[in-house]
Amino acid sequence: MAIVALVGVGMGWLAFAPSGWSPAELFSMMLTQAERLRADLPNYGALAPLAYIALYAGQIVVAPIPGHGLSFTAGYLFGPLAAALYSLIGIWLGSGLAFGAARRIGWPLIEKMAPRSWIERWRGLVLGVALDHG
């Protein structure tokens, strides 16, 4: 399993290397984002925790928004215990929004995009597992 992971990482590196991208850039972006948030969040004053919770919930719903910079910033600004509490609230709210959106638009979107045979196969697998364990 470790060999498969290493091969995958190597192939990913080879795919992005010609563009000049490297993992060091990801770390740099993470620190840059954290610095920017560290400067901006205090501008919200007493509402800074609510702004952080909203941002953290947003990064759950909108996948490309990275959450690691938010986590670093919260630890720095609010302290570890408050940051953990605010992060948990953000995760809870964001997950609720994501699950609600998936429940509302998920099946109609899948039915438009996936072939009927795939949908029936997956429904059969899910129902078979549900019947075996239910």
Side-chain angles (χ1 to χ4, degrees):
M1 188 66 160
I3 292 173
V4 172
L6 286 174
V7 169
V9 168
M11 290 176 68
W13 184 283
L14 289 175
F16 288 106
S19 70
W21 181 85
S22 73
E25 289 181 33
L26 180 63
F27 186 69
S28 174
M29 181 187 75
M30 180 172 62
L31 292 177
T32 303
Q33 179 192 24
E35 287 297 324
R36 188 174 30 221
L37 287 169
R38 195 175 294 150
D40 290 344
L41 267 179
N43 294 335
Y44 290 93
L47 296 177
L50 294 177
Y52 171 77
I53 289 169
L55 285 170
Y56 212 80
Q59 69 92 19
I60 299 292
V61 176
V62 183
I65 299 174
H68 42 269
L70 290 170
S71 300
F72 289 143
T73 300
Y76 177 79
L77 290 176
F78 306 124
L81 293 177
L85 176 66
Y86 299 154
S87 296
L88 286 172
I89 294 169
I91 288 169
W92 179 67
L93 290 173
S95 297
L97 288 171
F99 284 122
R103 172 160 242 163
R104 182 171 276 292
I105 65 173
W107 270 114
L109 182 62
I110 289 171
E111 288 174 340
K112 287 179 184 175
M113 297 178 69
R116 188 54 134 170
S117 60
W118 290 7
I119 294 172
E120 293 306 320
R121 180 175 177 214
W122 282 105
R123 280 189 177 155
L125 289 171
V126 169
L127 290 176
V129 169
L131 293 176
D132 289 344
H133 295 335

